[in-house]
Amino acid sequence: MGGLVLLSLVLITVSFRSSALDGAQGTAASILRPFEVAADRISRPFRDAAGWAHGLADAKSENKKLRNQVDTLRQQLIQDESAVQENVQLKQALNYKGPASLANFNRVHTAVLTNPLSAIDESITIAAGTDDGIAAGNVVITPQGLVGTVDKAEPGVSRVTLLTDGQSAVTARDLTNPAAVGIVKRGGGDVLVFDRVPKAPYVGVGDTVITAGSVGRGALPSMFPRGIQIGTVASQSNNDVNTFKTIQLTPFVNFANLQSVIVLVPRAAGAGG
Amino acid sequence: MDGLKAALVLFVASLFQLAVLTEYRPFRTSSIVLVALLSIALLRGSVFGAVAGFGTGLLLDTATLGTLGVTSLLLTVGGFWIGRYGETTARDRFHAPFVSVAVVTVLYSFGQLLLQFVLGQPAPADIVLHALPLGLLLNLILTVPVYALIRRLFPPQELGDRVREVRLLG
């Protein structure tokens, strides 16, 4: 028992302080991958059946809500498409040099191997790694919005730290009012906090918050490209004591159950600005 | 033979935990791996429990690309302690698996929190405290089928298997 405890402590020290064991760990994780995939495939029909039964109960009310949403979004899409065309034309005409956008990244679509293991764990593992060009620091998204960043990349497998982790933070801005710039970080449970937003800019409930990116080529550019959706403002308030607004966000991404994600791999050096 | 069976059971439990249970948020508070390990430790003793705990922890840390040794340390101590409890007092009592799972679930949660804190990683005590009652309940519910299954796979040893030394007195 004493020997095993000592060995555990040695492993913690070596694993935490150096990357000496990373190669072995990555290889072992790759060996485990087929078993995880097999377990996932075996259990998939049962989970699909459970999901289908659960979805059936909410289908009617959700159908009505989604039809209304489709009508609204159709109108918005027409306006957006014309704005995008105009934007592209103006950028070309002005030879505009802006911050990195999603267009500067290759997308690696990959499956989620494991979701967070415990209540305090806020990381997932994905079935893509250095073989696919993924490196630590790459941004991870889903079609719904921002998920987090790659924390550790090994051949064939990587670990992603979610935005809901206490150590994650991203510079963000209000889409409606671009002057409202702050930092999005973990709130409590599924809620995120939009912190460091000055009191002056107006931020409304329901506003969409996106990644701010960074302009120019400073010494420490943001690794997140501009324009990735993060969430909507759930509540906001001002307090005489606090210098900044208190804003809570509801994330677009359902961090509780991620099935697949997209890793943004910079196309060229420096694209991650 | 017992070692092979234990390795297989804990490997399957780990895969089930990683690939299935973690997809449902409430089940992230519970751990079928912990329940399976404690059941085996209770039936097979402290050294067996400690070795099984170490191996299982290593497997989980490897699969999640986490800091190696963290889960091993917690499960080694948990496996050893419950194995010792089974050897000395309560292996055959009805409440033994439930008491073991309840106590170790609480200690495991706080141990995990403490290690996270020591390693300088986020250690949100509020999340642990909120998740603990549900985790405790789910682990106790899981104990019923898991312990029954493991008891069939690891039947209580005969007295002859447990006695390692005979000293003649008089």
Side-chain angles (χ1 to χ4, degrees), chain A residues 1 4-5 7-9 11-12 15-16 21 25-26 28-29 32 35-36 39-40 43-44 47 113-120 125 152 154 157-159 165-167 186 190 255-257 259, chain B residues 11 15 17-20 22-25 28-29 50-51 54 58-70 72-73 76-77 80 112-113 115-116 119-122 124 126-128 131:
Chain A
M1 151 79 174
L4 291 176
V5 168
L7 188 56
S8 299
L9 291 172
L11 279 174
I12 292 171
S15 177
F16 192 70
L21 293 172
Q25 192 179 15
L32 284 173
F35 294 102
E36 289 171 28
D40 183 66
S43 61
R44 179 65 57 197
R47 280 180 287 165
L113 284 177
T114 64
N115 275 291
L117 192 58
S118 66
I120 57 170
T125 53
K152 202 174 194 179
E154 301 291 342
V157 61
S158 303
R159 187 176 67 185
D165 186 84
Q167 288 181 321
R186 185 177 81 91
D190 287 337
F255 293 100
N257 188 1
Q259 302 288 334
Chain B
F11 184 71
L15 285 183
Q17 178 82 33
L18 290 165
V20 183
T22 54
E23 287 209 12
Y24 304 96
R25 181 158 268 183
R28 277 179 212 161
T29 59
V51 173
F54 180 81
L58 208 57
L59 180 72
L60 291 175
D61 286 337
T62 302
T64 57
L65 293 181
T67 307
L68 285 175
V70 171
S72 290
L73 180 62
T76 302
V77 175
F80 178 83
Q112 203 178 23
L113 194 68
L115 278 176
Q116 293 263 100
L119 292 173
Q121 290 168 348
D126 57 330
I127 292 178
V128 171

Side-chain angles (χ1 to χ4, degrees), chain A:
Chain A
M1 151 79 174
L4 291 176
V5 168
L6 190 67
L7 188 56
S8 299
L9 291 172
V10 170
L11 279 174
I12 292 171
T13 309
V14 176
S15 177
F16 192 70
R17 289 187 177 273
S18 76
S19 55
L21 293 172
D22 284 2
Q25 192 179 15
T27 308
S30 304
I31 293 167
L32 284 173
R33 199 177 135 192
F35 294 102
E36 289 171 28
V37 172
D40 183 66
R41 286 193 183 156
I42 290 167
S43 61
R44 179 65 57 197
F46 300 101
R47 280 180 287 165
D48 287 348
W52 180 80
H54 183 259
L56 207 60
D58 304 328
K60 200 173 177 182
S61 61
E62 202 173 345
N63 187 28
K64 193 180 173 187
K65 196 170 77 180
L66 289 174
R67 278 179 188 280
N68 291 336
Q69 210 172 6
V70 166
D71 291 339
T72 314
L73 289 174
R74 191 179 289 130
Q75 292 169 3
Q76 201 177 331
L77 183 67
I78 294 164
Q79 291 173 355
D80 287 353
E81 275 181 353
S82 63
V84 166
Q85 283 172 3
E86 202 174 64
N87 185 284
V88 170
Q89 285 168 359
L90 285 171
K91 273 187 174 177
Q92 283 173 350
L94 296 169
N95 195 21
Y96 180 74
K97 303 284 183 196
S101 68
L102 286 169
N104 299 104
F105 292 82
N106 287 323
R107 292 168 181 233
V108 178
H109 296 253
T110 179
V112 172
L113 284 177
T114 64
N115 275 291
L117 192 58
S118 66
I120 57 170
D121 183 20
E122 293 295 348
S123 64
I124 58 171
T125 53
I126 57 172
T130 48
D131 301 343
D132 308 283
I134 292 171
N138 286 166
V139 177
V140 181
I141 62 171
T142 65
Q144 287 77 39
L146 184 64
V147 171
T149 52
V150 175
D151 172 37
K152 202 174 194 179
E154 301 291 342
V157 61
S158 303
R159 187 176 67 185
V160 176
T161 301
L162 302 177
L163 189 58
T164 46
D165 186 84
Q167 288 181 321
S168 293
V170 54
T171 314
R173 69 185 176 101
D174 188 338
L175 186 62
T176 315
N177 184 354
V181 178
I183 295 169
V184 171
K185 55 186 185 179
R186 185 177 81 91
D190 287 337
V191 177
L192 298 170
V193 171
F194 190 20
D195 200 10
R196 303 267 163 184
V197 180
K199 286 181 177 175
Y202 177 76
V203 177
V205 172
D207 282 5
T208 299
V209 174
I210 59 169
T211 53
S214 55
V215 181
R217 301 282 173 195
L220 290 171
S222 173
M223 56 189 182
F224 298 91
R226 178 179 285 190
I228 303 172
Q229 295 183 109
I230 299 173
T232 52
V233 175
S235 70
Q236 68 94 22
S237 60
N238 285 328
N239 186 317
D240 288 343
V241 180
N242 292 340
T243 318
F244 304 105
K245 280 178 188 289
T246 308
I247 303 171
Q248 288 194 322
L249 299 183
T250 305
F252 287 121
V253 173
N254 178 11
F255 293 100
N257 188 1
L258 291 162
Q259 302 288 334
S260 60
V261 293
I262 303 162
V263 184
L264 300 179
V265 179
R267 279 200 178 136

